[in-house]
Amino acid sequence: DFNQFVNEIKNIPNLEVLLRSAEHKRYSRDFYEYSPVLKEELAGCCADLVVRPLSVDAVISVAQICQAFQIPLTLRGAGTGNYGQCVPLQGGVVMLMTSLTQIRNFDSQTGEVTVEAGCLLIDLNRFLISKGRQLRLLPSTWRTASVAGFIAGGSGGIGSVRWGFLRDPGHLLGLEIVTLEESPRKIQLNAKPAEALNHAYGTNGIITSLKLSTCPNVDWQEVTIDCADFYEAVKLFKTCNQVAVNLFLCSLLENKIVESLPTWSGNPAGKHRLLLLVEPDGISTLERLSKSVGADFYHLGSEQEKVGNGLRELTWNHTTMHMRGVNSDWTYLQMLLPQPEIDLINTLSRKWGQNILWHLEAVRQQGDQRIAALPLVRWQGKDNLEQLINECKELGAIIFNPHVITVEDGGLGVIDSEQVKAKREYDPKGILNPGKLKGWI
Ligand code: FAD
């Protein structure tokens, strides 16, 4: 049966079929190894076949044949996810979406852009800048990640200080999807029904194109501020978010993390470091506020004039990546801190000492300025990690657990009935990315 399946797949026009087992292995993993728990859990998962469609029609044909043979189908963008999101738990086909890259439409009145699923965020953003616009939200992997992978798997990142998170209404304005119904077809969804596919790990529809909102382009300036005292640093971090300056990024790294950053990051180390992207007219205010508390202020210049990596690549989960580059014993957690944030930080630091290092990100959460934390955690086994997670929850943090594979467990832990409803409608046989939507399993 599987041979017949492969033969039918091979007959699809505009479809590359990758048959080598090395390629199957390569495209069956993402960056889940940041979690020792997932590393163990997902090690053996492998696709039976990998395909790369060059047209939307080819996507529909793959869907039709997978549906006819009841073969699992898992979508993959650039494969930079952290939770094994595009790992085929039950084998079957992995479909690489990265050859669908066209920017289909740009509305110069509204700034809305319609783009195919596999377009890289860097290419999309470059196009938008040429039109005087830019993306509102980007992951720190914005140079390598695809736009549909970000919507289906990401949550926020650079820009979240101003624009909140991807699932907030207003970012995703519509989708074109291919369904896995009895007769797979291409359909258009406007903003409301599209919400059910936003951050659903590709479990309830194949995204072929997306309509997104954008914002005016700003010549963001890179600024770092170093503070000798951590509590002063947290206070200044909060102040930066309360004053009338336009920020696109505001991160705080504890000095032990700063020590481990790559050398291009603006060392000397030793102090706790704020990393900011700020509009030009906010620089003097940040400088004045920093100097008034004895902090060292550095204006590194315009981000757009820089070649290669910038401050962005030191923040969000890139911080975790750099720390793991130094010592792979580090893993991490993700949480929204309760207020006042310093209480939780103090309590956990007292108990866990140097086994937890603080990395904070300013975010907008349902309209309020809040602080998210992505602390580095020294791996001391699963029980230890669970204990830490429980302590964070008891202290009032909302955990977004990066050590689990389901959509729900990585989020608020609750089943989203709209996501399940969309799966029932668009993938009634459960062919897409099986095992990832808890409300369906
Ligand atoms: P993939 O990993 O390929 O896929 C992600 C999910 O989307 C999978 O479930 C996949 O099945 C699904 N999917 C892919 N294409 C489609 C499609 N066409 N239709 C339906 N479903 C689809 N994430 C953030 O949100 N913010 C960050 O700041 C951030 N920083 C990171 C830093 C590092 C160092 C690393 C390793 C990861 C980081 N991530 C971050 C996670 C990840 O890089 C991003 O979410 C990224 O946008 C995922 O895009 P991708 O193309 O790599 O998606």
Side-chain angles (χ1 to χ4, degrees):
D1 243 359
F2 190 71
N3 284 343
Q4 196 191 336
F5 168 76
V6 175
N7 282 337
E8 295 207 15
I9 288 278
K10 279 182 178 166
N11 284 333
I12 298 175
N14 287 319
L15 185 76
E16 289 175 20
V17 183
L18 285 65
L19 293 165
R20 299 215 312 268
S21 68
E23 290 168 324
H24 298 172
K25 271 194 197 139
R26 174 175 164 207
Y27 291 120
S28 295
R29 39 182 308 124
D30 62 7
F31 285 81
Y32 62 72
E33 69 189 26
Y34 290 14
S35 162
V37 180
L38 296 184
K39 191 174 172 184
E40 196 181 311
E41 205 171 318
L42 299 177
C45 299
C46 192
D48 299 303
L49 194 68
V50 176
V51 298
R52 187 188 281 122
L54 308 177
S55 69
V56 174
D57 282 345
V59 172
I60 299 171
S61 301
V62 171
Q64 280 164 345
I65 296 172
C66 285
Q67 153 67 27
F69 284 80
Q70 300 286 297
I71 300 282
L73 175 60
T74 301
L75 311 165
R76 181 186 171 97
T80 68
N82 288 112
Y83 328 125
Q85 291 165 322
C86 63
V87 172
L89 296 183
Q90 298 174 15
V93 176
V94 164
M95 179 151 68
L96 312 178
M97 301 301 289
T98 41
S99 290
L100 300 177
T101 59
Q102 211 187 320
I103 296 168
R104 290 189 185 165
N105 187 50
F106 173 73
D107 183 331
S108 55
Q109 297 290 312
T110 60
E112 293 163 1
V113 69
T114 305
V115 59
E116 288 187 344
C119 183
L120 297 187
L121 292 165
I122 189 171
D123 294 333
L124 178 57
N125 207 45
R126 197 176 284 140
F127 167 83
L128 289 170
I129 288 173
S130 77
K131 304 284 182 196
R133 307 287 296 184
Q134 62 161 98
L135 285 169
R136 292 174 170 185
L137 291 173
L138 297 133
S140 58
T141 45
W142 68 290
R143 291 175 194 274
T144 45
S146 73
V147 58
F150 187 39
I151 292 291
S155 52
I158 297 138
S160 283
V161 61
R162 166 69 183 83
W163 292 104
F165 291 93
L166 278 175
R167 287 209 79 186
D168 295 344
H171 293 305
L172 179 62
L173 304 178
L175 288 175
E176 175 187 276
I177 68 166
V178 170
T179 68
L180 264 290
E181 295 157 296
E182 182 123 23
S183 300
R185 62 193 172 122
K186 182 174 81 177
I187 56 172
Q188 307 290 333
L189 304 179
N190 61 26
K192 181 63 191 148
E195 276 178 9
L197 284 88
N198 193 341
H199 202 74
Y201 293 9
T203 55
N204 51 11
I206 304 171
I207 299 170
T208 45
S209 129
L210 312 87
K211 185 173 174 187
L212 299 171
S213 52
T214 63
C215 62
N217 184 37
V218 170
D219 180 18
W220 296 111
Q221 304 291 307
E222 292 191 333
V223 162
T224 59
I225 304 171
D226 282 1
C227 297
D229 181 75
F230 187 66
Y231 302 103
E232 280 298 333
V234 175
K235 252 165 67 186
L236 187 57
F237 176 78
K238 293 187 76 164
T239 307
C240 290
N241 284 289
Q242 285 159 0
V243 295
V245 295
N246 189 14
L247 298 177
F248 200 47
L249 177 73
C250 181
S251 320
L252 170 59
L253 305 179
E254 189 178 336
N255 56 1
K256 292 279 172 211
I257 302 176
V258 176
E259 278 169 21
S260 301
L261 293 180
T263 45
W264 53 261
S265 67
N267 284 345
K271 297 188 179 174
H272 310 285
R273 181 167 294 168
L274 275 75
L275 308 115
L276 301 111
L277 289 177
V278 55
E279 195 160 352
D281 65 5
I283 294 173
S284 63
T285 305
L286 293 187
E287 181 166 16
R288 181 166 58 76
L289 292 170
S290 309
K291 292 198 168 150
S292 71
V293 294
D296 309 328
F297 180 88
Y298 304 97
H299 174 206
L300 310 179
S302 157
E303 196 189 35
Q304 280 173 21
E305 284 164 15
K306 214 165 165 173
V307 184
N309 289 338
L311 285 192
R312 289 173 186 222
E313 278 88 11
L314 298 173
T315 63
W316 290 89
N317 224 4
H318 265 69
T319 312
T320 317
M321 184 189 86
H322 294 305
M323 286 300 284
R324 285 181 49 80
V326 175
N327 182 345
S328 59
D329 280 350
W330 289 110
T331 182
Y332 72 117
L333 273 182
Q334 301 176 137
M335 64 187 95
L336 187 70
L337 294 180
Q339 292 167 311
E341 297 84 359
I342 203 70
D343 290 353
L344 175 143
I345 294 175
N346 275 337
T347 308
L348 291 181
S349 290
R350 262 198 307 273
K351 169 141 190 220
W352 294 78
Q354 296 289 295
N355 293 320
I356 184 163
L357 301 179
W358 290 101
H359 162 198
L360 309 183
E361 296 287 349
V363 297
R364 188 162 161 176
Q365 163 78 4
Q366 294 180 341
D368 294 330
Q369 281 312 135
R370 295 288 297 270
I371 299 182
L374 289 85
L376 275 307
V377 176
R378 200 185 298 280
W379 175 245
Q380 293 171 297
K382 213 170 160 178
D383 293 346
N384 195 273
L385 182 71
E386 246 157 54
Q387 191 190 330
L388 175 60
I389 291 176
N390 287 336
E391 284 177 25
C392 293
K393 284 184 183 163
E394 276 161 26
L395 292 167
I398 298 172
I399 295 283
F400 302 95
N401 190 350
H403 304 279
V404 291
I405 53 166
T406 62
V407 174
E408 294 89 345
D409 289 336
L412 295 174
V414 288
I415 288 166
D416 178 337
S417 61
E418 293 300 315
Q419 285 183 336
V420 180
K421 202 172 133 214
K423 183 149 178 93
R424 212 174 294 130
E425 198 172 338
Y426 304 136
D427 180 27
K429 294 275 167 61
I431 286 167
L432 285 172
N433 207 352
K436 303 282 173 56
L437 196 65
K438 210 171 170 181
W440 178 264
I441 299 166

